[in-house]
Amino acid sequence: MSEQPIYLDYAATTPVDPRVLEIMLPYFTEHFGNPASKSHSYGNTAAAAVEEAREKLAKAINARPQEIIFTSGATEAINLAIKGAALANESKGKHFITVATEHKAVLDCFDWLENNGYETTVLPVDSEGILDPQQVADAIRPNTVMVSVMMVNNEIGVIQDIAAIGAICKQHDVYFMTDATQGLGKEKIDVKAMNIDLLTASSHKIYGPKGVGMLYAKRSNPRVRLDPIQHGGGHEKGLRSGTLPTPLIVGFGAAVQIACKGMKKEQARLRKFRDELQNELLNKVPGASVNGHLENRVAGILNINLPPVDAEALVASLSDRLAFSTGSACTTERIQSSHVLEILRLTNTRHAIRLSLGLGLEQKLLDKTMTCIVSEHQRLAQFI
Ligand SMILES: *Cc1c(COP(=O)(O)O)cnc(C)c1O
């Protein structure tokens, strides 16, 4: 039996925390009721568990529970936020603004907007992946409905100045949406202080189960107007019909609570590991360079160029020992080069790997990771 490769792809997904799983289990069996069944205790028990999870998620971002809508993941939440706002606000305008480094879920919704008679502006970032908030102010028009800027980039880990962009959006009376899928449980989020009107997140990026996510939509001053994009029984205030997956929602609530409680400590631990890994690779690989802003960056993501070796070849030849990638999982599936790195106008994106760290990583595994990458890189570099 060969050992399992060391997992270094926490930005793609995370394992379910055993504590989270334990809390979920009774909701598959004993407490299996439909949360929408109001006439008996089976339904009421499930409904109470859903509401408790909703409160935990609201608390994590300083929102109110009634502002949280459960979805199947961040992708669905993003679709509901963008398309739902587009359909509900046509009297206000048809212009939407986003950034070129967004997740494909956002960019593909913007393609949908373009193809369905809306106008879009996609803003560039600087060579370190940062969006200048002034560019947002300059792009806003009288008919702008929404600005969408991700909090933490999933490929390079860069954190945008969400509070500054939120303030600009408030001043211009346009909705501000942020995809916080890589930020929830990792960076402090306060939707009130940051003037966020819509926020999306996902359970499986924070040690919760796959298949559940959320949309926060502000309900007062202003109340965000959304049309549903999925119709049915009118669940989730009519915005997302479909029976709620109680065990997944309970797991999401438990996961966010655990993540927020241990946030400072875990981020400090991962930052130390990330810096150690970064310094070792910069020292041992001639010409190595880091992608993305060095300060405004989440602790657990390192995107680094390791020339002259082809990144895909390095990932493949290490795959029996290390599990990591050259970019986002979604990009990998499409077999494209990274749109994020191309936007940074890197002369060559072929040498970039993404290492994303998380709970399971320990010093011993980190040491082994560094040895493996450096020696395999050296071996492959000989042939170039
Ligand atoms: C993973 C991810 C998504 C998609 O989330 P799903 O829940 O898998 O649909 C969206 N945005 C970012 C930044 C992500 O990292």
Side-chain angles (χ1 to χ4, degrees):
M1 268 284 287
S2 65
E3 253 179 83
Q4 287 268 59
I6 299 169
Y7 191 70
L8 300 154
D9 209 10
Y10 288 87
T13 195
T14 59
V16 173
D17 185 318
R19 293 168 290 179
V20 170
L21 180 62
E22 181 131 2
I23 294 166
M24 290 169 62
L25 284 176
Y27 293 93
F28 284 105
T29 51
E30 288 160 67
H31 309 311
F32 65 87
N34 187 329
S37 301
K38 305 285 185 211
S39 59
H40 50 69
S41 65
Y42 292 90
N44 294 334
T45 300
V50 166
E51 293 320 308
E52 198 184 316
R54 203 188 298 278
E55 280 169 27
K56 288 175 181 167
L57 284 153
K59 191 166 169 234
I61 60 169
N62 194 26
R64 292 180 293 151
Q66 59 269 39
E67 295 174 316
I68 306 296
I69 299 148
F70 287 114
T71 64
S72 63
T75 300
E76 188 194 331
I78 289 164
N79 274 264
L80 175 55
I82 296 174
K83 297 177 187 171
L87 295 169
N89 294 279
E90 291 195 344
S91 60
K92 179 173 185 212
K94 298 189 104 181
H95 179 233
F96 289 71
I97 300 169
T98 192
V99 196
T101 49
E102 290 290 307
H103 190 274
K104 285 287 181 193
V106 171
L107 295 176
D108 282 3
C109 283
F110 270 68
D111 283 347
W112 180 90
L113 290 174
E114 272 290 327
N115 295 332
N116 284 274
Y118 299 89
E119 300 157 51
T120 63
T121 300
V122 181
L123 299 172
V125 290
D126 68 15
S127 61
E128 293 178 311
I130 304 287
L131 170 68
D132 178 359
Q134 185 57 41
Q135 284 198 292
V136 174
D138 294 345
I140 292 174
R141 309 174 189 164
N143 68 337
T144 303
V145 173
M146 173 196 282
V147 171
S148 180
V149 177
M150 75 198 312
M151 187 170 284
V152 175
N153 185 272
N154 51 302
E155 289 194 40
I156 54 177
V158 159
I159 303 171
Q160 302 295 353
D161 192 346
I162 293 301
I165 300 164
I168 288 166
C169 292
K170 187 178 172 63
Q171 190 192 336
H172 290 84
D173 198 22
V174 303
Y175 293 155
F176 178 40
M177 161 177 164
T178 188
D179 174 10
T181 308
Q182 297 285 347
L184 182 69
K186 292 164 188 148
E187 292 293 320
K188 199 171 175 320
I189 302 177
D190 183 331
V191 292
K192 290 204 181 79
M194 294 170 154
N195 286 304
I196 298 166
D197 300 306
L198 293 145
L199 177 146
T200 55
S202 183
S203 158
H204 75 97
K205 303 289 175 79
I206 59 165
Y207 310 96
K210 293 168 184 57
V212 64
M214 63 164 239
L215 171 65
Y216 150 80
K218 194 171 169 181
R219 285 185 72 83
S220 54
N221 65 72
R223 177 200 174 91
V224 173
R225 286 190 298 166
L226 293 176
D227 275 359
I229 54 174
Q230 173 163 306
H231 303 89
H235 307 73
E236 299 295 89
K237 301 199 155 60
L239 285 171
R240 203 280 187 176
S241 286
T243 300
L244 292 172
T246 315
L248 305 184
I249 289 171
V250 166
F252 192 12
V256 82
Q257 195 174 34
I258 292 171
C260 289
K261 194 155 168 268
M263 184 159 77
K264 273 215 167 115
K265 213 172 132 201
E266 178 63 1
Q267 293 314 91
R269 194 181 76 95
L270 295 182
R271 190 168 297 113
K272 191 177 148 284
F273 282 171
R274 196 262 326 267
D275 290 346
E276 200 178 326
L277 186 55
Q278 177 180 305
N279 293 338
E280 176 73 2
L281 295 175
L282 288 176
N283 286 336
K284 297 271 171 75
V285 177
S289 58
V290 175
N291 296 316
H293 198 281
L294 292 178
E295 297 303 320
N296 302 340
R297 194 166 44 139
V298 78
I301 296 180
L302 173 64
N303 195 303
I304 189 163
N305 304 311
L306 302 176
V309 172
D310 187 274
E312 294 291 354
L314 185 64
V315 169
S317 65
L318 281 167
S319 64
D320 58 336
R321 285 162 285 167
L322 307 178
F324 66 104
S325 67
T326 58
S328 73
C330 319
T331 311
T332 310
E333 200 141 285
R334 290 184 198 184
I335 320 178
Q336 288 176 341
S337 74
S338 159
H339 72 284
V340 175
L341 296 182
E342 273 166 18
I343 289 147
L344 301 190
R345 283 183 285 272
L346 291 177
T347 44
N348 208 333
T349 61
R350 280 195 309 115
H351 309 306
I353 59 168
R354 178 188 70 177
L355 298 154
S356 50
L357 322 180
L359 275 182
L361 192 67
E362 297 157 7
Q363 186 68 50
K364 205 175 64 183
L365 298 175
L366 182 75
D367 293 344
K368 196 169 162 200
T369 297
M370 294 189 293
T371 313
C372 284
I373 297 177
V374 170
S375 65
E376 190 61 23
H377 183 274
Q378 262 167 14
R379 196 184 70 81
L380 292 172
Q382 285 172 11
F383 304 114
I384 294 165

